[in-house]
Amino acid sequence: MASRRRMLLKVIILGDSGVGKTSLMNQYVNRKFSNQYKATIGADFLTKEVQFEDRLFTLQIWDTAGQERFQSLGVAFYRGADCCVLVYDVNVMKSFDNLNNWREEFLIQASPSDPENFPFVVLGNKIDVDGGNSRVVSEKKAKAWCASKGNIPYFETSAKEGFNVDDAFQCIAKNALKNEPEEEIYLPDTIDVAGGGRQQRSTGCEC
Amino acid sequence: MQEPELHDLSDDADYAASQQQGSASMMRSDSGKHSSSSEHDGAEVVYMKDNVTIHPSMLASERISGRLRLIKQGSSLFMTWIPYKGQNSNARVSDKDRILYTIRPVPMTDVRSIRRHTPALGWQYIIVVLATGLAFPPLYFYNGGVKEFLATIKQHVFIVRSAEDANVFIVNDFQNPLQKTLSSLEIPRALSVGSEPSTSFSVGEASVDENQERMSVDIQNDNINISQYNERQRQKAHDPARDLSIQVLEKFSLVTKFARETTSQLFRDSHSNGYGAIERRSNSLSSIDYPSQKASDDWDKVPDKSPVPQDPLEFDKLSLVWGKPRQSPLGSDEWFTFLDSEGRIMDSEALRKRVFYGGVEQKLRKEVWPFLLGYHDYDSTYAEREYLKAMKKAEFETVKKQWQSISPEQARRFTKFRERKGLIDKDVVRTDRSLSFYDGDDNPNVNLLHDILLTYSFYNFDLGYCQGMSDLLSPILFVLEDESESFWCFVKLMERLGPNFNRDQNGMHSQLFAITKLVELLDSPLHNYFTQRDCLNYFFCFRWVLIQFKREFEFDKTLRLWEVLWTHYPSEHLHLYVCVAILKRYRSKIIGEQMDFDTLLKFINELSGHINLDAVVRDAEALCICAGENGDACIPPGTPPSLPAEDGLLYPQQELDDVL
Ligand SMILES: Nc1nc2c(ncn2[C@@H]2O[C@H](COP(=O)(O)OP(=O)(O)OP(=O)(O)O)[C@@H](O)[C@H]2O)c(=O)[nH]1
Ligand SMILES: [Mg+2]
């Protein structure tokens, strides 16, 4: 295992400011949630080792600033992405409406070779807030949009409670892997992230 | 990281050199050991150190190593440094250079002072300033031994520590320390002192003066008059400028070929704004005839060299510790000396300079920041400021009312307002919450942040709110502790930094562009590295620039840095030099570890909290002065924090539609 070249999978997290991108990334990589994350300025990334049968992959997760005004920076960071995660806040309609913009902006700036089949994953975050009572985007509506964009896998998450975050990232990793050139990888039908059993909630990963 | 290679001296042909110099009997003893070998003239070597090195340029790869000795003859002590010959490993250094930099025996009576530098990173070095005002280039002690060097001198000549700076040792200072030093130290005549290839060992013969003219080549076209010194000395009994003069000299002794032209401009075109004390000093230096013809002829002998180093790992082991040392922060008592009886600041330039070098004590910031930010005029009186405060408070309340009067009903139909408020809501609870000033639930100061930002987004509706603004406001509110005053100071700051937040990011782009140019100017190997690695967009500096290093330092350090930057003292754009200084500090790591864009970004993000503020400000000052006009030329007009031109819309109309 160690002798093999470790493959880097690059994942970009996009979405409006404050939807919880930084929180999700930290929950997944460091298994913690803090109320004190600062608004992201510029960009940063965390990496996590992902085991996959007998192979190790490095998931490089890029967290960027959500404010529209900084979007022009994206081009520097999006290039070479293997998967793009679109996040919205289920309690904020605008953040859902903007998913389309984020998706298009990403495709323009990253200009992947096969935009039609480029893997996206959508996360509806903050489902814990107010016991779900302040929710304004229904699961149904979100799934419908995902279906219309080529069956994008969809997850509902809470970065705060750590709910569904691992599952979502397993799917993300798997999709990122799928995006790699054929000869580089060998694709088994299960992926085991952090060794845990995996139970999928929501639509789950169609791959 | 790789250690600098040490030269195996057994292969060096330096014997030839030393023999030529008449020190044939010098024993090849272990470095640093006091060897007492008698010479033909009854001279005795009392100190010897190998691998003492001069860096003709700032590149560590370009260096001349040699042997430093103290020789005692009769009651006199001489210092000499002779480079090794035949250092094949260093083809960049020509024999001419070796000869040029050779220090033939100089009697200690000719030495004015010795400054010791012991940077945390890099080698220790000393700078020897002669009574004539000339300074030798820094001598780097690759194998240590500075302390021993000074101790040895102390055994033989009278040497005292300078009262102003514990690292400066004044030699032979029997009578009038100040008088004597001033006239000598202030002559920025020579950048380095070398000597002709000498054929005989001539102890006792001042070997420097005869070479002064030819060594002054770097300022060959400058006209310098030293006759006015006496007059100025009077004002300077306790002027820190005295120390500055040492600094200036040292800088000049450090000036490298690459910076030759830019630095000489310091003393030439000194009428442009922005150089403060150094400028004023040089203004009074006018018209002395320099034998420029001779000098330039001589200079031609030194071949120009490309600064591209062969081995990236050898880069920059030396640090740029040659700005002025930091002072203690400005306190209340001293503050009042800047004010006249009605509260006007009599010499704003002196104040700015004072703040630049020392910052301001926390409890005094409330008074000083409004001036630095331009909210108060320096020549306003106490009464005028009180009046302004009242007027501005009313004006603030008026703008604040504008959003306060929006009912929930109205807000429902006012998407832009809701979105803007939503952004601010989200950001204020993510701003400096670990500070007790902003921590806890329902903290009233967090609400103040919110109200000020929302008010600002109405005050300047075109610019609106953008992430990063809360980071800029937080320290201001923390310091001023007053809603309206904080608002107006923030307004002032945004007059300068607003373009950072423009939708088209033009302010950011011009700053990142300027950094690119400055690095190209001040560190071309690093620039080449970034070019190779496709890192020229400098996005890894984005956060530094957008919020003025707010996330890179602990809170109190940020306050210090900001007040220093706001003095605009050596330059309005000092923050860009701070960027360059930080990059230069870590250049050997960046290049040595062959960082790519991703790694570099990560590395820089993780520098947060680990950057030595004082050192970086000192370096930035030195770089800024060194870059001179060429540095200015790297910075496009209107680059923040320059005030925008009066005419025209601040935020071009076509962008407004997209702005929140
Ligand atoms: N209740 C709850 N709050 C969350 C959750 N995820 C994030 N938050 C909070 O939402 C706010 C924004 O979270 P961040 O993770 O900083 O948001 P972001 O998307 O990274 O925002 P930008 O960096 O501005 O683009 C913070 O105050 C978080 O504490 C969640 O799942 N549940
Ligand atoms: Mg974030």
Side-chain angles (χ1 to χ4, degrees), chain B residues 88-104:
Chain B
N88 300 336
S89 64
N90 208 342
R92 317 201 138 266
V93 178
S94 68
D95 281 326
K96 274 182 188 142
D97 274 358
R98 249 187 287 285
I99 292 161
L100 181 74
Y101 286 102
T102 296
I103 301 174
R104 291 191 296 150

Side-chain angles (χ1 to χ4, degrees), chain B residues 117-304:
Chain B
H117 291 258
T118 49
L121 292 166
W123 301 296
Q124 302 184 345
Y125 62 94
I126 57 165
I127 292 170
V128 178
V129 180
L130 297 171
T132 54
L134 299 167
F136 289 110
L139 293 162
Y140 288 83
F141 288 60
Y142 278 33
N143 297 347
V146 170
K147 200 171 167 183
E148 203 183 341
F149 174 76
L150 291 165
T152 308
I153 293 178
K154 201 168 181 175
Q155 287 168 15
H156 300 278
V157 282
F158 185 68
I159 174 172
V160 290
R161 237 178 236 264
S162 157
E164 284 92 348
D165 187 334
N167 282 314
V168 174
F169 296 83
I170 316 269
V171 187
N172 300 307
D173 204 29
F174 300 109
Q175 302 141 358
N176 190 340
L178 225 49
Q179 290 297 312
K180 206 174 159 196
T181 52
L182 278 172
S183 56
S184 56
L185 288 178
E186 289 186 359
I187 310 172
R189 282 166 78 174
L191 307 172
S192 59
V193 181
S195 58
E196 302 263 358
S198 68
T199 47
S200 65
F201 182 54
S202 50
V203 169
E205 178 192 325
S207 56
V208 173
D209 289 355
E210 61 192 73
N211 292 313
Q212 274 177 17
E213 291 182 353
R214 50 184 300 277
M215 286 308 132
S216 308
V217 288
D218 288 335
I219 45 174
Q220 50 182 275
N221 295 320
D222 296 337
N223 297 317
I224 293 176
N225 185 346
I226 56 169
S227 66
Q228 296 172 23
Y229 282 113
N230 290 342
E231 195 193 321
R232 277 181 295 126
Q233 270 169 229
R234 260 183 273 127
Q235 318 157 358
K236 291 213 173 120
H238 279 289
D239 191 338
R242 175 175 172 259
D243 193 43
L244 183 68
S245 64
I246 298 177
Q247 296 289 331
V248 169
L249 262 176
E250 291 185 357
K251 265 170 207 157
F252 276 78
S253 77
L254 259 171
V255 162
T256 57
K257 284 167 195 152
F258 111 93
R260 188 189 312 142
E261 304 153 50
T262 52
T263 312
S264 61
Q265 279 168 2
L266 244 182
F267 293 89
R268 188 182 315 149
D269 303 310
S270 50
H271 296 280
S272 59
N273 286 325
Y275 283 107
I278 293 172
E279 175 198 346
R280 277 178 288 135
R281 177 177 315 277
S282 53
N283 275 344
S284 52
L285 306 172
S286 54
S287 78
I288 202 182
D289 28 310
Y290 258 80
S292 50
Q293 190 52 50
K294 191 180 173 191
S296 58
D297 285 345
D298 188 63
W299 193 249
D300 290 338
K301 291 180 197 160
V302 181
D304 266 314

Side-chain angles (χ1 to χ4, degrees), chain B residues 25 59 73 127 215 257 377 416 424 427 513 603 658:
Chain B
S25 56
L59 300 174
Q73 190 183 44
I127 292 170
M215 286 308 132
K257 284 167 195 152
D377 289 335
K416 275 228 184 316
I424 294 170
D427 281 0
F513 173 80
F603 172 70
D658 309 316

Side-chain angles (χ1 to χ4, degrees), chain B residues 517-626:
Chain B
K517 287 305 192 189
L518 287 173
V519 171
E520 190 175 6
L521 174 73
L522 293 162
D523 194 341
S524 64
L526 187 62
H527 174 78
N528 293 339
Y529 179 80
F530 287 151
T531 313
Q532 270 170 34
R533 288 281 165 167
D534 210 7
C535 292
L536 281 187
N537 58 28
Y538 278 78
F539 279 169
F540 44 85
C541 297
F542 186 86
R543 189 173 75 190
W544 293 358
V545 172
L546 186 84
I547 50 176
Q548 303 274 290
F549 306 96
K550 167 77 171 4
R551 302 272 181 96
E552 317 313 319
F553 297 99
E554 297 90 57
F555 195 76
D556 56 329
K557 294 249 177 66
T558 303
L559 305 183
R560 172 63 31 85
L561 174 61
W562 283 11
E563 62 206 7
V564 164
L565 294 179
W566 293 342
T567 62
H568 300 153
Y569 171 63
S571 160
E572 210 175 32
H573 296 102
L574 191 80
H575 71 296
L576 300 176
Y577 292 94
V578 171
C579 294
V580 179
I582 300 175
L583 292 174
K584 275 182 88 67
R585 275 212 157 226
Y586 295 98
R587 69 196 297 282
S588 57
K589 199 168 163 58
I590 292 169
I591 300 172
E593 294 179 13
Q594 293 282 303
M595 294 187 188
D596 59 9
F597 179 82
D598 294 359
T599 321
L600 183 58
L601 181 94
K602 186 92 191 146
F603 172 70
I604 284 185
N605 283 345
E606 288 177 356
L607 276 184
S608 170
H610 301 288
I611 305 171
N612 179 335
L613 178 63
D614 283 354
V616 157
V617 170
R618 266 201 321 262
D619 288 359
E621 181 198 5
L623 288 169
C624 176
I625 289 168
C626 201

Side-chain angles (χ1 to χ4, degrees), chain A residues 94-110:
Chain A
K94 180 81 194 281
S95 72
F96 177 74
D97 293 341
N98 268 341
L99 288 183
N100 208 35
N101 295 338
W102 284 111
R103 182 176 171 276
E104 281 171 8
E105 189 67 24
F106 174 83
L107 289 174
I108 292 167
Q109 296 204 29

Side-chain angles (χ1 to χ4, degrees), chain B residues 403-422:
Chain B
W403 62 263
Q404 279 184 322
S405 64
I406 296 173
S407 69
E409 277 293 294
Q410 191 187 354
R412 211 170 301 149
R413 298 181 300 271
F414 196 170
T415 309
K416 275 228 184 316
F417 172 69
R418 285 201 319 274
E419 284 172 6
R420 195 171 276 191
K421 183 171 174 359

